[in-house]
Amino acid sequence: MMSDAAALERLYAYPATDRPWVRSNFVSTLDGAAAGTDGRSGTLGGDADTRVFALLRSLADVIIVGAGTARDEGYADFDVDSELRARLGLAPVPAMVLVSHTLDIPGALIAPGNVVVTAANADPSRVAALRETVEVLVTGDEEIDWPAVLATLADRGWTRILCEGGPTLHGELIRLDLVDELCLTVAPILTGGNAPRIARGHEGVDRPMALGHAIEADGGLLTRWVRARS
Ligand SMILES: NC(=O)c1ccc[n+]([C@@H]2O[C@H](COP(=O)([O-])OP(=O)(O)OC[C@H]3O[C@@H](n4cnc5c(N)ncnc54)[C@H](OP(=O)(O)O)[C@@H]3O)[C@@H](O)[C@H]2O)c1
């Protein structure tokens, strides 16, 4: 049963903390696929997932997304709930932070206000070209220094972090134990095939999570899991 708007806002409120809180948001099939047969995730979620996806964006200071997902999912402009953001004292729109080594960023996202995060070994000419339009944050020599990125965002008051993936970026944040919360829609679908899971990387780690809530919707589940830190 889907909750009303006020109840959903309470269920997905960020905790009151002045440190960065990293929430990731994914949809997965019952057999663990993070993409449908079209190679995208949007086709997996129903109306309830779409609604929560939009709410999570509206609650965030910043949306972090891997360039792979931005390319595969055709990221572009998006709408947020202006009334909700004003009521919560948030900026009119969240900042979109794009993560990339190659700096192959979709043209629609090379727009003032967006931020590109990369490492120091990125192509300097591409960095310079992007800097004509967007801010490029360079941290770490060969790999992005995520604690430094989060500290920089927090210095701007951006502590409500929403990571929309994809699996490569998510795997890296999990490896570093930087994911505080996972919002996962479980879609009532079996798909087989060889789609990625919601996280991948070179090495496995154990990061226990505790169930925050599970709501039945569209025949599937909207779940929220919080990192169980001892
Ligand atoms: N089920 C879901 O909710 C969901 C959510 C998101 C995505 N997806 C699906 O996942 C698939 C894409 O998977 P993916 O693993 O390729 O996604 P991804 O993590 O968004 O993309 C990987 C690319 O993003 C950049 N990137 C990610 N982490 C980085 C890091 N730590 N440092 C530097 N660059 C980094 C790199 O871009 P460059 O190549 O530009 O260097 C890398 O090649 C698609 O099928 C998409 O639909 C599903």
Side-chain angles (χ1 to χ4, degrees), residues 26-27 34 39 67 69 71 73 99-102 164 166-169 200:
F26 281 89
V27 57
T69 293
R71 293 188 292 257
E73 303 270 352
V99 183
S100 175
H101 259 136
T102 64
E164 294 187 348
T168 303
L169 174 59
R200 57 182 168 195

Side-chain angles (χ1 to χ4, degrees), residues 25-29 33-36 38-42 44 49 53 65-73 75 98-105 117-119 126 142-144 146 163-173 176 183-185 195-200:
N25 183 32
F26 281 89
V27 57
S28 166
T29 65
D38 61 353
R40 293 174 163 217
S41 59
L44 296 178
D49 177 66
F53 186 90
V65 65
T69 293
R71 293 188 292 257
D72 292 347
E73 303 270 352
Y75 267 49
L98 297 137
V99 183
S100 175
H101 259 136
T102 64
L103 300 182
D104 176 12
I105 307 294
V117 171
T118 195
R126 285 198 166 210
E142 297 184 354
E143 304 294 334
I144 291 169
W146 281 103
C163 172
E164 294 187 348
T168 303
L169 174 59
H170 198 213
E172 176 70 353
L173 296 178
L176 295 167
C183 295
L184 176 67
T185 297
R197 297 181 297 117
I198 64 166
R200 57 182 168 195

Side-chain angles (χ1 to χ4, degrees), residues 147-196:
V149 171
L150 295 182
T152 300
L153 300 180
D155 283 347
R156 300 172 186 189
W158 295 346
T159 54
R160 299 172 180 87
I161 313 289
L162 175 64
C163 172
E164 294 187 348
T168 303
L169 174 59
H170 198 213
E172 176 70 353
L173 296 178
I174 291 170
R175 186 181 72 79
L176 295 167
D177 201 8
L178 292 172
V179 174
D180 296 296
E181 182 186 328
L182 166 67
C183 295
L184 176 67
T185 297
V186 181
I189 302 168
L190 289 172
T191 188
N194 59 1

